[in-house]
Structure formats: structure tokens, C-alpha cells
Amino acid sequence: MTAWGQRLENPVSDRLRDPRTTGIVALGLGVFAAFLAIPPIEARSPIWPVVVGILAVALGIWTATRGKRKLGWGAVVGGLLGIGLGILATRSGTGNLEAVFDATLIDQTFGLATPLVFGAIAGMFAERSGIINIGLEGMMLMGAFFGVYGADKGGSWVIGLLIGMASGGLLALVYAYFAIHLRADQIVGGTAVNFLAVGITGYFFQLVYNGNVTGNVPLIPNVHIAGLGHFLENSIGNLNLLTWASFALVILAWVFFFKTPLGLRLRACGEHPRAADTVGINVYLVRYCAVVLSGVLVAIGGVYLSLGPQGNGTFIFDMTSGKGFIALAAMIFGNWRPAGAFAAALLFGFSSALALKLQVYSPQASTLFATLPYVLTLVAVAGVIGRTVPPAAEGKPYAKQ
Amino acid sequence: VTEPKKDLVESPEQAASSGSLAARLSLSHKAGGVAVPVATVVLAFLIGGLVVLATGHNPLLAYRDIFDGAGLNWIFHPTTDTQGSIAAYNLTQTLLQSTTLIFTGLAVAFAFRCGMFNIGGEGQYIVGLVVANWIGVSFAGMSTLPHVLFAVLGATLAGAAWAGIAGVLKATTGAHEVISTIMLNWIAIYTATWLFGAGGPLQNNLPGQSTNPVSNDVVHSAQLPVFWGSQGFQGLDIGFFMAIGALVVFWALINRTTLGYEVRAVGFNPDAAAYGGINVKKNLIRAMAISGAFAGMGGAVDMLGYLYHYGSLDVQNSAAGGVGFIGIAVALLGRNTAVGVFLGSVLFGGLIYGTTQGLSSNVIEPELASNVTLIIQGLVVLFIGADILILYVWNSRKRLRRQPPTQAPAKAAA
């Protein structure tokens, strides 16, 4: 088992995977989303235009991160407009549109995307150095529990954050030892890490809190920005500190990977470890650092889940419930690049936020709506993998000579 | 990708660079024999015991209570006194759990044999549950045998189709089966939540239960007969024998058919298999579909055997440590063989039931003990994955035995 994808010759899917084709399809879908609601189709539920519109946005991001920027971002805008117009038409009234599309939608999108951004960037560190980290889910869970534990016992969210980060880093270190020194299969090892994390957090949750955290712990504060005007203040005026930190992380990660010598070395270890070794880079050391950093970063996302505005200081068994995997998907979706992963994480956050809003109209359909990020990722990996090139040496254990 | 290895005893470096997962697994398995999985389990139990010890409980007493909770003490109480009948009841529950794990373990093992990691057993199992419930509830007029067969067949095909999506994607676009099966898991989980949920198509239509997100019970004609214990108290149904049958089918498919040969060849080295005239893409799809068929059938056997109904909350709870995931540990521990999967599923079936409902202990409470099961499961997978370590220990032992210590450390020959 090696990297995420292998290049397969297939003329039909090759043509389908051409970014230009995808971009045009995306634009078409954006327009289609708006037309779904008016005759002759006349969908009664706002869900359908929203689903088609989000598909358009997804394809747009994919196109944009693969060379055709103008077309791609155009499709993103088209998809968003399509969603808006579609809802407008099915509900035939601006009042309903405002009920869905208000400033809090932006606030919720950023809020729901935060753990995904941390996870996606974290995964990128490990994978760019050549180690597949499927244990993101488990390391995030560690952060979620030990964040609450630290904040409770230490009496401050800073201590919670630090202990949460340390716990994720520690689990990542164990994984790194098995993946790097013992050269275990990385997917089997990562799966083991996920099991271990559920067991460890569940055990201590039961032992320390008897399966019930009061929620009475110091939380990570929101950043209040006053004087922006009504709309901006409701959308970005009250974001969590970690949400802002995630924005900074995306920029820092981009600078690190592509503008510093250290980032170049890290990428070299993921592309051609033998060559990196030859020029004097300590491949093992770089990979260890990258994997541990990956665990630390994704654990911040976990701490956000429990100590952030959504968790409100509570922890529940298996709290992450797949968010680590969505983060992994966002990273692949974003072509192993910080900006792309950020856009994908925002899209997944946006679709979750919309699901919450649409609950008013149809609670059942909004449950079904929760499958959307997974369907999108499935559609994406089918096309993405062949076209994109994951780090060449990813998943292959490296033996020193 | 390197050429297939004829030698078992090679250097760890070579083993690591040999590409395919199936090749690596079979290598480490042959190298250690039965000793490796046994040592893995012992080590995992030791570490699990250390965790229990460190948090102020007696691990030996805890393990004894878990052993009793799993009903394995029935062997010492064959009579029908009170203790004996409790033990017998616990044992039937352990075997019920094992039945499920045999199916999900086989689902993982079959894909492994073809060099793929089917992490989506959970989703395929849920798809099987859903279809079996739908058929079991809907076609009330049928007589028992055709109804059961119809439900089992429907669920099996549904599981095969669900896993087949991942197989087709892998064969046509190269999408990695790990990512696609993970995504298919979550799609199955949320779809099933919706199906059984309030207002969903499969929610019950009992009076006064319209807010209860649980399905109807499958009708009597679709229920599997119970042969040990009583139907009302979740006795052991004939699904257990269907699981044994599945083990035999798995063994025969892998070892005695052309299909099995091709699947194994692709798993060992896809390039060599293609060179030998085997259609690799076809086999990837086929192996994934068969793999999903096992999990889907497991869902049907559980639904018709003792669950009878299922709810949204059950689906959500299965997301964490569900049977599909424990199947991974079962398959890896059982070295992807029929006998191994059976033994692995009895072990994990006992652990699961023995640490939850079956456990009556004043040493460790079930809420705590059930997490020890998860830790042990994680450790087993972690250690089995580190085949290089196993190979290294094995090789150095062989070298010590065969060569005088003065000789230069040359590569050992088989």
C-alpha cells in the first residue's frame, strides 16, 4: 500500500478530469441550481438548489486549485449565487432568504470550518514529509478530551490548550515510531491510533469524570471587534480566537512549505527521501518532527471542539465523530496545498452551517444533508487523485542505508 | 514494485520495500507462525492490564471477571445450577457477538487478500441491516424459508454493491479504497439515521411512537430460529451456523477456486499478476464486492437473528467502535485466514460482551472495562502492523540458531 492514488490510464476519465471541463460543468451547475426552483422543474424544497449549488462550488474549488483559476473561482461565485437564487425562488420572498443567508451563516461557516482547517494543515505536514496520517481523527479526539481535562484541572484555557496539544503530539510520537522506525504499514498504524484514542479518552473520561463533564471550565475566548457595522460585526466580529489562529496558520503553512529552506527540506523528504538523505538531510528527524507537529496541530482543532463556542466546555464519547476524516478529505480535495485545503474546509463548514439553517424547513432532509461533505469527497477523490500528484514517496517507509 | 519474494527469510529492509500490503502481511505471518498473533495478544493484554493497574484496579481480578462475563467459565459449570445457567447465557451472548465479527472480519480479510484495505465494513454492515430490516418488515405474507432467504440475499447484494462502489472507483480512477470506504461509511451512517429517524421511510408506524426514531420489528416469518436459549431472551440463533458456513465459503473461495487464486495473485503483486494475464481491475472490483457481501450478510444475520429492529441512535453509536472496525482487528489478528478469523472473533466477541452487559464485577465497572477493550484492540492492530519488528526478531532468532556467532552477519538463507 503506497500513496493515495496511482495514475491509471483511462482516456474517458482523463478527459473528465481536465480542469477546463470541470470548470465549465461547475458553471453550468451553478446556473442549474438557480433554475431548479422555477418552471418547468419547480423544486418545492430549497434543499435541491442548495445541493446542486454546493456541488458547483466544490467543482469550482477543484478547478481553481488545478490551474484554471479564473474559471474555477467564477464557478464558485456562480454556485453561491445559484444557491441564493434557488432558495429565493423556492421560498419566493426575500424574508426567507434573509432567514438563511444572514451574517450568522458566515460566522457559523468559519466556526465549523476551524477544526477542519487545523486538521487539514496538520495532515499536510505529515503527508508532505512522506507519512500518511490517517490517525488525524484519533489525535483530534485526544486534543478534545485532554483540552477539557487541562482546562478543568489547570483552571485556565491556556493550560487546556497546551495539555491538549501535548496529548496529540504524544500519540503522534507513538505513531511516528511505528511508521518511521518500525516501518509499519501507515494505514494500519493510523487505524490503530484511532482505536487507541477512542479507548484512552473513553477510559479517562470515565475514570476522572464518570462519563460526564460539567461544562464548567474556562473556555477559549471569542475576539470581539467593535465598530464594524451591523453585518460585519455579526459575521466576523465575534469569531473565536482559534478561528483567527487557523487563518494565520494557513498563511504560515504556505510560507513555511514554499518559501523557507526548512519547508523545502520537508517536501524533499516526501518526494524523494533517498535524494534528501544524500544531500545531508536527516530524513528520520524531519519525518519525526513533521508527524509530531501534525499531531499537535490537529489536537488544537480538537481542543476547539471541546473548549470552543460549540463544545462549551463539554466532552462526549467519540466527540470528533469523523471530523478528522473530513479534515483529511479537505487536504486531499485541496491538492495538498494550504490555500486549497482552506477553501475545501470552508466549503465543508459552509455546507454544515447551511444544514443547521435549513433545519427550520425540513429537519429530515437536513439529516440527509449531513452526508454531503462525504459525497463531495467521494466524487472528488474519484476525479482528483489521478490529476493531482500527492507527495511521491508518501506511504513508503524509508530505510536508511 | 519489487518482484515477488520466494524467500521468506529476508532482511527487514527488503520486506519494507516490497510494495503490496498483502505481500507484507503474508510475509510476516509466515515468518512468525502462530507465535506472532499469540504474542501480540499477550502483549496487548499486558499493556491493557498495566493501564488498569496504574489506575488503581487489580488487573488479574478484572480479567478474571471479564472472562466470567464472557461466559467462558461455562466450561467449568456444565451443570444447570444458577451459576451455570448465567454462564451459559453469557456464552450465548458472546457467540452472538462473535457471529457478527466473523462476518465483518471476513469482509476485511478478503479485501486484504487482494491487497486492499476495506475500512468500510461498518457502512456495508449498516447497509445490510437496513435492507434486511426493510425486507423483513415489508413482505409479511411470505413463508419462513423464502422470506429469510430473500432478506439475506437482498442484504448481501446490497453490501456487495456498497463496497463495489469503492472497488469500481479504485479500478477506474485509482481512487484509494481507504478514503472512499471511509466516506461510504459516513454516507451509510447518516442515510440510515435518516431512514430510521422521525418521519423517515423505515421508522415504525406503531401508535404513540411517532417521535421514537426506531424501525418496526421484522415479522415472525423472517426471524431466524433460536437453538440455544429462548427467542424472547436473545438466544443464540442459527445465524451462528451461517457464520461458520461463511468461514468455509471464504476458505474454499480463497484456496480452491480460480477466483481466489487471481485475487491472491493481484494482492501479492499486481504487476506480476497483470503480466501473467490476470485482469487486475476486474479482480479489484470483484474482491471489494465479495468483501462487502460478507459484511452485508452479517447485517442481515444480526437483524433477522436477534436485533429485529434498529434505531437512529444505534446507528450513531456504531460510528465509534462499531463491529465493522473491530473486524479490522479480527482479520489482522487472524492473519486473514478462516480459522484465524474464527478465533479472533471469539476473542473479541468475548471481550466486548465480557466488558459490557456480561460484566458483574466489584473490581472494575463495565463503563471503564469497555474502554480497555478498545485499547487492547488498538494495540493489537498497532503491533500486527509493525511486521518489520516481528520479522526482525524472527530472523535474528533464526540466525542465532543456524549460524555460529563468529560468522559475519550475512543474509540468512531459507
Side-chain angles (χ1 to χ4, degrees):
Chain A
M1 182 146 342
T2 50
W4 283 125
Q6 66 216 86
R7 194 79 180 90
L8 292 179
E9 293 304 324
N10 190 332
V12 178
S13 66
D14 272 2
R15 203 177 315 133
L16 286 179
R17 283 192 294 237
D18 183 21
R20 241 180 97 81
T21 321
T22 325
I24 292 164
V25 170
L27 269 176
L29 281 177
V31 175
F32 182 56
F35 274 92
L36 263 176
I38 53 176
I41 304 171
E42 259 188 300
R44 293 317 308 160
S45 156
I47 303 288
W48 290 110
V50 168
V51 168
V52 175
I54 284 184
L55 193 64
V57 174
L59 288 174
I61 291 175
W62 186 69
T63 310
T65 51
R66 278 151 190 88
K68 302 274 182 230
R69 292 193 183 189
K70 274 185 197 161
L71 192 62
W73 294 125
V76 170
V77 173
L80 287 176
L81 282 176
I83 295 172
L85 290 173
I87 292 178
L88 192 65
T90 47
R91 293 291 141 188
S92 58
T94 43
N96 283 304
L97 187 65
E98 273 161 16
V100 175
F101 276 88
D102 58 0
T104 55
L105 183 70
I106 299 174
D107 180 75
Q108 278 177 337
T109 298
F110 283 132
L112 290 165
T114 302
L116 307 181
V117 174
F118 275 109
I121 300 289
M124 211 172 293
F125 271 92
E127 305 226 350
R128 283 279 186 181
S129 82
I131 306 286
I132 292 177
N133 191 356
I134 215 169
L136 283 176
E137 170 87 6
M139 295 166 194
M140 193 187 267
L141 189 59
M142 292 289 274
F145 174 73
F146 286 98
V148 170
Y149 179 80
D152 182 34
K153 301 292 170 191
S156 139
W157 63 267
V158 180
I159 295 176
L161 183 63
L162 290 177
I163 290 186
M165 286 160 72
S167 69
L170 204 65
L171 192 63
L173 186 65
V174 174
Y175 170 63
Y177 179 71
F178 274 82
I180 299 168
H181 256 101
L182 298 182
R183 280 173 253 137
D185 184 90
Q186 292 168 12
I187 297 195
V188 175
T191 310
V193 162
N194 290 335
F195 291 148
L196 271 179
V198 178
I200 292 170
T201 54
Y203 191 86
F204 284 102
F205 184 40
Q206 191 62 43
L207 192 75
V208 182
Y209 295 107
N210 233 346
N212 191 9
V213 175
T214 54
N216 203 4
V217 296
L219 300 177
I220 295 166
N222 286 356
V223 180
H224 298 279
I225 307 172
L228 286 174
H230 183 70
F231 182 81
L232 279 180
E233 218 165 292
N234 278 343
S235 55
I236 60 164
N238 201 18
L239 292 177
N240 193 265
L241 187 62
L242 283 185
T243 305
W244 288 107
S246 76
F247 298 161
L249 179 68
V250 174
I251 298 165
L252 283 178
W254 178 77
V255 171
F256 173 81
F257 281 127
F258 301 108
K259 299 290 163 198
T260 66
L262 217 55
L264 182 66
R265 284 183 200 167
L266 188 141
R267 284 187 291 136
C269 292
E271 297 292 343
H272 202 309
R274 179 73 68 218
D277 203 355
T278 313
V279 296
I281 298 171
N282 187 340
V283 177
Y284 279 18
L285 184 68
V286 169
R287 286 188 169 179
Y288 265 106
C289 291
V291 173
V292 170
L293 186 61
S294 169
V296 168
L297 288 177
V298 72
I300 301 178
V303 174
Y304 174 82
L305 284 178
S306 58
L307 290 185
Q310 296 150 32
N312 241 332
T314 51
F315 176 84
I316 46 175
F317 182 75
D318 192 39
M319 187 174 198
T320 47
S321 66
K323 291 200 177 54
F325 289 121
I326 303 189
L328 192 74
M331 177 201 71
I332 296 174
F333 207 104
N335 204 5
W336 286 266
R337 291 178 154 270
F342 182 62
L346 281 185
L347 173 68
F348 294 159
F350 176 67
S351 89
S352 305
L354 261 185
L356 287 178
K357 290 274 180 189
L358 291 174
Q359 217 151 22
V360 186
Y361 298 123
S362 164
Q364 293 157 276
S366 93
T367 311
L368 210 52
F369 205 80
T371 60
L372 202 65
Y374 304 102
V375 176
L376 283 181
T377 307
L378 196 63
V379 173
V381 285
V384 164
I385 293 292
R387 170 67 53 180
T388 53
V389 190
E394 190 183 54
K396 292 174 193 152
Y398 176 66
K400 272 186 193 166
Q401 283 187 329
Chain B
V1 183
T2 54
E3 55 186 28
K5 299 285 183 293
K6 292 187 194 82
D7 264 358
L8 283 182
V9 189
E10 56 179 316
S11 73
E13 282 73 21
Q14 277 176 303
S17 59
S18 70
S20 121
L21 179 64
R24 285 183 59 177
L25 283 173
S26 83
L27 203 69
S28 64
H29 293 157
K30 282 175 188 162
V34 189
V36 171
V38 171
T40 305
V41 171
V42 170
L43 196 58
F45 269 79
L46 269 178
I47 297 177
L50 282 179
V51 174
V52 174
L53 184 69
T55 51
H57 304 270
N58 184 335
L60 289 178
L61 290 178
Y63 279 138
R64 199 204 60 196
D65 288 344
I66 292 170
F67 183 86
D68 288 355
L72 295 172
N73 57 343
W74 178 77
I75 306 157
F76 310 118
H77 298 277
T79 53
T80 49
D81 59 341
T82 321
Q83 214 181 352
S85 60
I86 291 172
Y89 178 74
N90 284 344
L91 188 59
T92 57
Q93 300 309 301
T94 290
L95 291 178
L96 265 185
Q97 189 70 61
S98 307
T99 303
T100 318
L101 294 183
I102 287 174
F103 282 112
T104 55
L106 287 179
V108 180
F110 200 88
F112 265 138
R113 278 320 226 346
C114 196
M116 286 184 292
F117 195 166
N118 177 13
I119 220 167
E122 190 64 40
Q124 295 141 22
Y125 171 79
I126 288 175
V127 167
L129 279 178
V130 166
V131 171
N133 182 268
W134 172 63
I135 297 177
V137 169
S138 309
F139 300 86
M142 292 174 83
S143 54
T144 303
L145 189 66
H147 200 176
V148 166
L149 284 179
F150 180 33
V152 170
L153 194 70
T156 306
L157 289 178
W162 198 248
I165 297 173
V168 169
L169 287 182
K170 169 126 184 155
T172 54
T173 69
H176 202 291
E177 77 279 1
V178 166
I179 284 290
S180 41
T181 51
I182 288 173
M183 297 305 140
L184 286 168
N185 270 348
W186 289 99
I187 295 170
I189 285 169
Y190 281 111
T191 309
T193 307
W194 168 72
L195 285 170
F196 295 134
L202 290 182
Q203 199 212 3
N204 68 73
N205 49 15
L206 301 171
Q209 294 279 310
S210 63
T211 54
N212 192 9
V214 173
S215 74
N216 278 318
D217 273 15
V218 295
V219 295
H220 195 73
S221 63
Q223 295 177 3
L224 298 176
V226 167
F227 72 93
W228 189 6
S230 83
Q231 189 111 19
F233 288 100
Q234 224 179 74
L236 187 57
D237 56 88
I238 59 159
F240 179 68
F241 295 115
M242 292 165 78
I244 303 291
L247 285 168
V248 176
V249 167
F250 174 89
W251 175 84
L253 262 184
I254 286 285
N255 296 308
R256 289 288 179 271
T257 65
T258 320
L259 187 156
Y261 172 79
E262 290 192 359
V263 160
R264 280 183 293 141
V266 170
F268 210 78
N269 188 332
D271 293 345
Y275 187 72
I278 292 171
N279 186 339
V280 174
K281 290 181 180 182
K282 188 178 93 183
N283 274 288
L284 289 177
I285 298 172
R286 207 156 61 170
M288 244 3 235
I290 293 174
S291 180
F294 281 119
M297 189 187 261
V301 163
D302 278 4
M303 179 55 71
L304 309 177
Y306 73 100
L307 290 172
Y308 305 143
H309 57 79
Y310 216 60
S312 295
L313 294 176
D314 302 313
V315 178
Q316 290 289 316
N317 288 338
S318 75
V323 291
F325 296 107
I326 301 163
I328 297 168
V330 167
L332 283 172
L333 187 62
R335 308 187 299 159
N336 305 320
T337 61
V339 178
V341 165
F342 176 75
L343 294 175
S345 56
V346 171
L347 176 80
F348 277 105
L351 259 177
I352 291 168
Y353 187 73
T355 53
T356 50
Q357 293 103 313
L359 187 65
S360 69
S361 165
N362 44 20
V363 183
I364 189 164
E365 63 265 40
E367 290 81 14
L368 209 52
S370 60
N371 288 303
V372 178
T373 304
L374 282 166
I375 293 176
I376 288 175
Q377 181 194 343
L379 290 172
V380 162
V381 175
L382 193 63
F383 294 146
I384 295 268
D387 51 350
I388 302 302
L389 175 73
I390 296 158
L391 266 183
Y392 188 76
V393 172
W394 193 254
N395 284 345
S396 49
R397 215 192 67 169
K398 257 189 180 162
R399 243 175 258 145
L400 277 177
R401 209 167 48 196
R402 289 194 180 178
Q403 291 170 358
T406 47
Q407 215 170 319
K411 242 176 220 156

